[in-house]
DNA sequence: GTCTATATCCCGATAGAC
DNA sequence: GTCTATCGGGATATAGAC
């Protein structure tokens, strides 16, 4: 599938991917149907399959095209910055993603929950990035800027805590009542991380 | 569906529920098929449907029969105990569940991730339990035993952190290499919670 | 490029013999 | 109680007209 030539093709492909994100993130890969996606994109089902060869291909393109943006907050964590503020900034950017892009979060959550059946071969690259940042955190700890701490589990903590608000939104809302949890969530996370990390 | 009479009936129903847990937790409700469940239970598909009237019913029975055990760790958090140790004990019991019952965790994760389509009417009961325990935590804070903290977000933190190791196991393993993460996970969580909660 | 119609397959559930 | 055989619905994907 090469680059779309015309403006309308580009628009349709974009609409399909947006619709697919909506449907896949809510129902998972198997739970989603092409009828739902075509409907949400404002196209007929055969027309949808004119732009993408298969359901699998739409899903794969979604995942791979979003993955890079999803890892950006971690890439931006800067070796040269203030350690506590860098980690806090990373956590905040991650929580912003949960607030602003909950469907993307749930798309990845579905994928990981089922054992990364479509993203298995990108896991080594994730490990490479995480290991690299783990070294940065270990350096900060050795310099006495933060407490000595397992950097991988710190990463899991930040992932778990931030993504929880997007992925398990239904439960969060049910427990809190109707509220937008994000302002308090950030204050809470800042308290937790500052205390956890203080040297 | 009344109590099964014979020993073999009981055994088959148990085998079916065990097989269904395996399959539903891995593939979600829609992703799971009765063929897979029947196969895992060592029965034919029609025979499976002799014991349960429908796929939906198997899933529902699984969820409701496991829900109570799933909330037990929280119920056991004791108003009269030492606050920090009670919260820590709760978190430890929850992490033990993730280690010993990861399939149950993923079963609920799938359900919540898709908006609790089958557990919607049990959410009020969950909220009641959580609100009750939130009051206990608020009491501890007022007495100066722990820091003043939002008890609901503390709950989310513990849920997110502990369930992460079961629900996103594929990612955890990919990032860490091959290791069993649980010993370090508990040490990490204890460090994090003690510092977060100290008055 | 987009549609209607349809082929093909898979899944949940049922019928009926044993 | 358990099986083989099958129904009926729904899903992915394709054919072919326009």
């Amino acid at each position: 599938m090469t680059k779309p030539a015309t403006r309308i093709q580009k628009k349709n492909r974009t609409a399909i991917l947006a619709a697919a994100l909506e449907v896949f993130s809510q129902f998972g890969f198997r739970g989603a149907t092409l009828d739902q996606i075509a409907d949400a994109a404002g196209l007929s089902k055969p027309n949808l399959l004119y732009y993408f060869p298969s359901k699998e291909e739409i899903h794969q393109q979604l995942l791979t095209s979003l993955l890079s943006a999803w890892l950006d907050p971690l890439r931006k964590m800067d070796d040269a910055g203030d350690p506590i503020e860098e980690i806090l900034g990373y956590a905040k950017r991650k929580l912003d993603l949960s607030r602003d892009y909950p469907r993307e979060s749930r798309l990845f959550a579905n994928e990981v929950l089922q054992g990364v059946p479509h993203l298995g071969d990108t896991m080594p690259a994730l490990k490479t990035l995480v290991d690299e940042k783990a070294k940065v955190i270990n350096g900060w700890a050795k310099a006495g800027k933060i407490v000595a701490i397992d950097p991988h589990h710190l990463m899991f903590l930040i992932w778990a805590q931030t993504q929880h608000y997007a992925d398990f939104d239904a439960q969060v809302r049910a427990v809190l009542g109707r509220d937008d949890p994000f302002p308090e969530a950030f204050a809470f996370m800042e308290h937790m991380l500052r205390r956890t990390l203080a040297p």
Side-chain angles (χ1 to χ4, degrees), chain A:
Chain A
M1 194 71 13
T2 56
K3 290 271 171 68
T6 74
R7 200 185 53 81
I8 193 162
Q9 277 178 334
K10 201 163 190 173
K11 181 167 149 278
N12 276 340
R13 289 181 66 90
T14 305
I16 289 169
L17 287 174
L21 172 60
E22 182 73 32
V23 177
F24 281 133
S25 67
Q26 187 172 355
F27 300 103
F29 179 74
R30 294 261 336 239
T33 72
L34 290 182
D35 279 297
Q36 290 174 295
I37 297 172
D39 210 45
L43 296 171
S44 68
K45 187 165 49 168
N47 199 9
L48 185 155
L49 287 166
Y50 167 79
Y51 286 96
F52 289 88
S54 70
K55 180 185 184 181
E56 191 96 27
E57 192 66 25
I58 302 173
H59 187 247
Q60 194 68 36
Q61 282 228 4
L62 253 191
L63 284 175
T64 53
S65 71
L66 293 172
L67 187 59
S68 173
W70 206 246
L71 296 178
D72 245 27
L74 181 55
R75 283 201 203 88
K76 284 201 187 111
M77 200 175 72
D78 183 8
D79 195 355
D82 176 76
I84 303 266
E85 298 309 318
E86 284 298 320
I87 295 172
L88 226 63
Y90 167 51
K92 166 135 180 57
R93 290 191 295 276
K94 203 82 178 61
L95 191 55
D96 286 342
L97 282 189
S98 275
R99 185 195 54 207
D100 299 334
Y101 302 97
R103 295 170 306 177
E104 282 82 346
S105 186
R106 284 193 282 266
L107 182 76
F108 287 119
N110 267 300
E111 171 69 9
V112 176
L113 186 52
Q114 310 203 351
V116 286
H118 309 94
L119 275 182
D121 50 351
T122 71
M123 289 293 104
L126 173 67
K127 177 169 166 50
T128 301
L129 173 63
V130 171
D131 284 347
E132 173 194 324
K133 295 303 182 179
K135 274 188 194 139
V136 172
I137 293 170
N138 276 334
W140 288 337
K142 274 213 174 97
K145 303 288 192 180
I146 62 170
V147 70
I149 201 172
D150 187 314
H152 289 101
H153 288 268
L154 173 62
M155 217 72 90
F156 297 151
L157 170 66
I158 292 172
W159 294 351
Q161 168 76 344
T162 55
Q163 293 171 4
H164 187 87
Y165 291 98
D167 300 343
F168 304 125
D169 166 78
Q171 198 176 53
V172 169
R173 280 178 200 280
V175 166
L176 287 183
R178 66 270 143 246
D179 277 323
D180 168 22
F182 284 99
E184 299 141 33
F186 181 63
F188 183 95
M189 197 171 62
E190 179 168 4
H191 166 91
M192 182 272 287
L193 282 177
R194 283 195 189 279
R195 283 183 167 222
T196 298
L197 295 173

